[in-house]
Amino acid sequence: MGEKRRRTNKRRWDEMPPEVLVEIFLRLPMDHMFYFTYGVCKSWCSAVLDVLFPSPGLLDLNKVDAYPQHLKKEYMRLLKILLDTRPKAQWHTFISPRTVRLKEHAILYIAQ
């Protein structure tokens, strides 16, 4: 007769409350969010987007100016994910980055 398995009340990582994930991700190095964390599951990706774009209604891209060059492209990729997955009607204010020049098709994509 096999050993009985114990029932545990363990939670899965992808079931963590979004607020907890955001607090954890705020403490990670930025490149970890861009390269490792966002791809784990949908809830983790959503929490990463909440860290990178925290203000509902305000799409402020000034942060990208402070990132090293290798992270700017990743930031813009996650911006596209944000725009594809969140309701566009919630964005009423857009602040363009100062040093990163957005291509025309990127501006049109954001405007849509």
Side-chain angles (χ1 to χ4, degrees), residues 3-20:
E3 206 176 298
K4 288 186 178 180
R5 290 186 177 178
R6 279 195 219 163
R7 282 196 149 175
T8 60
N9 290 330
K10 293 182 181 178
R11 279 187 152 176
R12 294 172 31 144
W13 280 97
D14 62 342
E15 295 173 348
M16 287 185 81
E19 311 81 41
V20 173

Side-chain angles (χ1 to χ4, degrees), residues 43-108:
S43 64
W44 283 38
C45 181
S46 182
V48 167
L49 296 176
D50 288 344
V51 169
L52 295 175
F53 309 98
S55 303
L58 172 64
L59 191 53
D60 185 356
L61 303 187
N62 272 330
K63 286 185 207 175
V64 74
D65 293 329
Y67 294 152
Q69 190 61 39
H70 69 282
L71 292 181
K72 290 179 182 184
K73 185 176 182 179
E74 297 303 317
Y75 180 87
M76 298 309 284
R77 188 170 52 80
L78 289 173
L79 170 63
K80 185 176 182 318
I81 291 171
L82 174 82
L83 294 173
D84 288 345
T85 59
R86 305 256 171 111
K88 291 170 180 54
Q90 75 180 23
W91 310 110
H92 54 75
T93 305
F94 170 69
I95 300 174
S96 181
R98 293 186 183 136
T99 62
V100 174
R101 185 169 175 173
L102 297 175
K103 295 180 181 176
E104 185 177 329
H105 70 275
I107 295 170
L108 289 173

